[in-house]
Amino acid sequence: GLLIVPAFAQQNEKPAVIINLGDSVNTKYDELAPLITPDGSRIYYGRRNHPFNTYQRKYGDCVDIFYSKYDSIKGKWRNGRHMPEPFNQRIFNGVESISADGKIAYIRGAYKKGHYKGNGISVAYEDLGKWSDPLRLKIKAFKRLNRGATCNFFMASGGKVLLMSFCKIEDGRTIDIFVSFLEDNGNWTKPQELNLPVNTKQYSEEIPFLASDNQTLYFSSDRKGGYGKNDLWVTRRSDSSWLNWSEPIVIDTPINSINWEGYCSIDAIGEYIY
C-alpha cells in the first residue's frame, strides 16, 4: 500500500507520522512505486494482480498503472483509475517520471509505434486529455550495458539529464546508478556511472529519485549503515558533471525499517515523501 510521511522528519523535534493514503488508493491488491506530480495534485502508481489489469486473465501476476487525483476541497484522494491506452500494454508497467505540468510521462519499457520492444524508457505526451503513443529514448550503448535483472529511470527537471540504475553483469543484481545527457540530435549519451561515495562495488544502489531542485538525490541501497534490507539514502550533487555527490546519509525511521524500502517520491515543495 502507499504511505505518506513528512520528508525531513529527522530534522524536526517531533517524530514523523506515517499516514495511509486511504482506501480510494490502497486496496486488497498491492499498490507500489508511487510517483507524485510536482504540484502534488495527482499520484501514479502500480497495482499488482487487479482484475482490470490488461493481461491479468491471460498471464496473472501483472502490474498496471493507475492514478488518483487529490480533492483539495474534501482533503482526500479520489478513487484510483486505470490508465487508458496507450499505457498498460505489457505485463509489468510503470511511470518512471512525470513533467512539472503533468503532460509528459516517461514510462518503463522501450516502445516503437506503440509496441513494446524491450528494456528501456519511453516518452508519451498528453494533449487535450489524450496521450500519444510512447516512443523510446535512444540511449547510446544502453542495450549492451544493461545486462541485469532490472532497471529504473528518473528524468531530471528540465528533461535534459536522465538518471538510471542497472547492472552491467548478465542477470546480475548488484546495481549502480548512471547518468546520461540529451544531445542536440535528440539522442542520449552513453550512461556514465556516478562516482564514489554513491556507487559501491559490493552493494546495490538503485531506483534514483531526484528532487525538484536538481541537486538532491534519493536512492535505495543495501549498503552498510542502514536499518535492514534496502533503505532509502539521500545525497547532494557536488558539481555540474553530475558524477560527484556528497557522502550519502541514511534516512531515519520510521521511513526506513528492518524491511525493504525503495521507490520514494517527493513533490516540489518537499514537505512529504511517498
Side-chain angles (χ1 to χ4, degrees), residues 56-81:
Q56 183 63 33
R57 290 185 179 181
K58 186 174 182 180
Y59 298 108
D61 193 25
C62 295
V63 177
D64 273 14
I65 305 166
F66 284 69
Y67 72 94
S68 296
K69 295 181 179 179
Y70 188 71
D71 189 331
S72 58
I73 297 177
K74 295 183 178 180
K76 66 177 186 178
W77 291 95
R78 296 174 182 170
N79 288 335
R81 301 182 65 180

Side-chain angles (χ1 to χ4, degrees), residues 137-249:
L137 303 187
K138 297 178 181 178
I139 306 169
K140 288 182 179 178
F142 176 76
K143 188 174 182 180
R144 173 171 58 85
L145 291 173
N146 172 38
R147 306 181 68 190
T150 185
C151 59
N152 289 95
F153 299 86
F154 191 83
M155 182 67 70
S157 176
K160 295 183 178 181
V161 179
L162 181 64
L163 293 163
M164 63 194 81
S165 60
F166 59 84
C167 181
K168 294 193 294 184
I169 301 172
E170 187 73 29
D171 295 324
R173 294 185 178 275
T174 303
I175 301 167
D176 287 314
I177 300 175
F178 299 74
V179 63
S180 178
F181 304 97
L182 180 64
E183 298 181 309
D184 291 339
N185 61 5
N187 295 334
W188 292 81
T189 61
K190 179 182 176 180
Q192 301 177 69
E193 295 181 47
L194 304 192
N195 294 327
L196 282 167
V198 173
N199 283 326
T200 60
K201 289 184 178 180
Q202 65 270 48
Y203 302 108
S204 283
E205 291 79 33
E206 55 186 312
I207 319 172
F209 175 86
L210 191 69
S212 295
D213 63 2
N214 275 352
Q215 301 283 337
T216 309
L217 174 66
Y218 297 81
F219 62 93
S220 180
S221 178
D222 60 353
R223 63 207 290 149
K224 286 186 177 180
Y227 290 88
K229 299 177 182 179
N230 272 44
D231 287 301
L232 292 173
W233 296 72
V234 60
T235 179
R236 287 186 62 83
R237 184 159 57 90
S238 302
D239 56 36
S240 59
S241 73
W242 289 81
L243 301 177
N244 299 310
W245 300 75
S246 66
E247 185 72 38
I249 298 172

Side-chain angles (χ1 to χ4, degrees), residues 113-130:
K113 295 182 179 179
H115 298 286
Y116 174 71
K117 296 296 182 180
N119 285 334
I121 182 172
S122 299
V123 61
Y125 301 91
E126 188 269 332
D127 183 39
L128 299 177
K130 293 186 177 181

